[in-house]
Amino acid sequence: MANSLFAFRSIRKVAFTSSASASVKWKGGVSLVQGASRGIGLEFAKQLLEKNDKGCVIATCRNPNGATGLLDLKNRFPERLDVLQLDLTVESTIEASAKSIKEKYGSLNLLINASGILSIPNVLQPETTLNKVEKSSLMLAYEVNAVGPILVIKHMSSLLKVGGTGIERDVAVVANLSARVGSIGDNRLGGWHSYRASKAALNQLTKSVSVEFGRKKDPVICILLHPGTVDTDLSRPFQRNVPEGKLFTKEFSVQKLLNIINNIKSHDNGKFFAWDGQEIPW
């Protein structure tokens, strides 16, 4: 029995050492941006690469060959940007990405889940009345906006726990992009049933995961971020009623969100922040 226990500890030590040495090359850490083909996700990848010349970024999207902006970024940072195929609705692609990251890097210091859907022509539109709610819209929004990001955390969790040994922080960080409209307490207008409900579900799932990491004393914290109304393809059809000065550029929003991420502390685990650092009610 003693020999078996010693063997187990030895194997575990070798596995941990191997994982740590795989990422030692990147003194600035290893970051994963899920949903990086365009919009906020692409801007996250860009700013992470530009602001940290010792770090590596892994960017994922459904169709890397069609992600022209991401391919241009890869040409600028060929050594520090990896692009992987990941479809949130196909769990096997999430598993494959996790395996690839483990083999090449051994750890993750930061995970940003940036994917989200609000509307798809002829498929999904924000509902203005109850009569327009359809089961297919509810299920699609839930699958992409809530289920997908949690499955990414599930498969990346072992890498995050190793990355929690820290480069500048003493914990790894998971940042899920949510939305103020996902707040139940802040809902005064109604409508947008599928989108609101899916973001509220993401908030609850992320909170639950943060509690589990905390209870197990894992060196990982989870936060939720509201980027504001950003000038992207997601918001473009709905910008008409945005108040003057409240439509942000991708550059501005991501700069603010990265400032929150970079200054996050262990006691912020499970919190929901707006772009300006203010907490949002559940």
Side-chain angles (χ1 to χ4, degrees):
M1 177 67 179
N3 288 337
S4 297
L5 183 58
F6 176 77
F8 171 77
R9 286 175 174 169
S10 298
I11 291 170
R12 187 178 179 185
K13 182 177 180 181
V14 169
F16 179 84
T17 304
S18 175
S19 295
S21 62
S23 59
V24 72
K25 176 182 177 182
W26 305 108
K27 294 182 179 180
V30 181
S31 302
L32 169 61
V33 182
Q34 182 277 121
S37 63
R38 57 182 179 170
I40 293 177
L42 178 60
E43 185 61 27
F44 264 118
K46 178 174 176 287
Q47 290 196 27
L48 284 167
L49 289 163
E50 290 177 343
K51 294 180 179 181
N52 181 2
D53 61 5
K54 295 181 180 179
C56 171
V57 174
I58 304 154
T60 72
C61 61
R62 282 188 306 163
N63 179 21
N65 292 332
T68 55
L70 196 53
L71 294 176
D72 289 343
L73 198 60
K74 174 67 174 174
N75 289 332
R76 285 182 58 198
F77 300 96
E79 298 297 323
R80 296 197 295 118
L81 175 61
D82 255 359
V83 179
L84 299 177
Q85 195 271 335
L86 188 155
D87 185 337
L88 282 183
T89 65
V90 182
E91 189 172 2
S92 61
T93 67
I94 303 174
E95 291 181 273
S97 292
K99 181 179 179 181
S100 177
I101 295 168
K102 181 178 181 180
E103 290 173 350
K104 185 169 182 179
Y105 300 100
S107 68
L108 281 175
N109 306 99
L110 172 64
L111 165 61
I112 298 173
N113 276 308
S115 285
I117 57 169
L118 173 58
S119 66
I120 301 174
N122 303 317
V123 175
L124 174 66
Q125 288 295 322
E127 308 91 343
T128 54
T129 67
L130 180 62
N131 290 335
K132 294 184 178 180
V133 173
E134 296 183 2
K135 179 181 178 180
S136 59
S137 297
L138 289 164
M139 298 303 290
L140 178 59
Y142 185 72
E143 182 177 30
V144 175
N145 294 341
V147 176
I150 299 305
L151 290 178
V152 173
I153 300 174
K154 169 188 168 183
H155 289 289
M156 304 296 169
S157 61
S158 62
L159 296 164
L160 289 160
K161 291 172 187 178
V162 177
T165 53
I167 299 301
E168 295 180 351
R169 296 179 294 262
D170 60 354
V171 291
V173 175
V174 176
N176 286 341
L177 260 63
S178 185
R180 186 178 291 275
V181 296
S183 166
I184 295 173
D186 194 61
N187 184 359
R188 297 176 179 83
L189 297 176
W192 288 30
H193 301 281
S194 298
Y195 189 70
R196 283 186 187 275
S198 66
K199 289 298 187 179
L202 175 65
N203 292 353
Q204 180 68 287
L205 288 165
T206 305
K207 178 66 176 180
S208 293
V209 172
S210 75
V211 170
E212 179 176 338
F213 282 141
R215 184 173 62 244
K216 293 181 176 179
K217 302 189 185 312
D218 290 324
V220 184
I221 63 173
C222 301
I223 58 173
L224 293 139
L225 298 174
H226 165 56
T229 303
V230 184
D231 186 13
T232 63
D233 292 341
L234 183 144
S235 70
R236 199 152 289 131
F238 314 101
Q239 293 178 3
R240 184 176 59 183
N241 296 321
V242 177
E244 185 176 353
K246 293 297 184 180
L247 180 63
F248 302 146
T249 65
K250 299 185 293 292
E251 294 80 4
F252 174 85
S253 178
V254 169
Q255 181 183 11
K256 291 291 187 179
L257 298 180
L258 281 177
N259 185 58
I260 294 172
I261 291 170
N262 291 334
N263 290 283
I264 212 72
K265 306 299 181 185
S266 295
H267 62 257
D268 294 317
N269 188 29
K271 293 183 179 180
F272 183 13
F273 295 102
W275 60 272
D276 58 0
Q278 298 297 309
E279 278 193 65
I280 298 175
W282 298 113

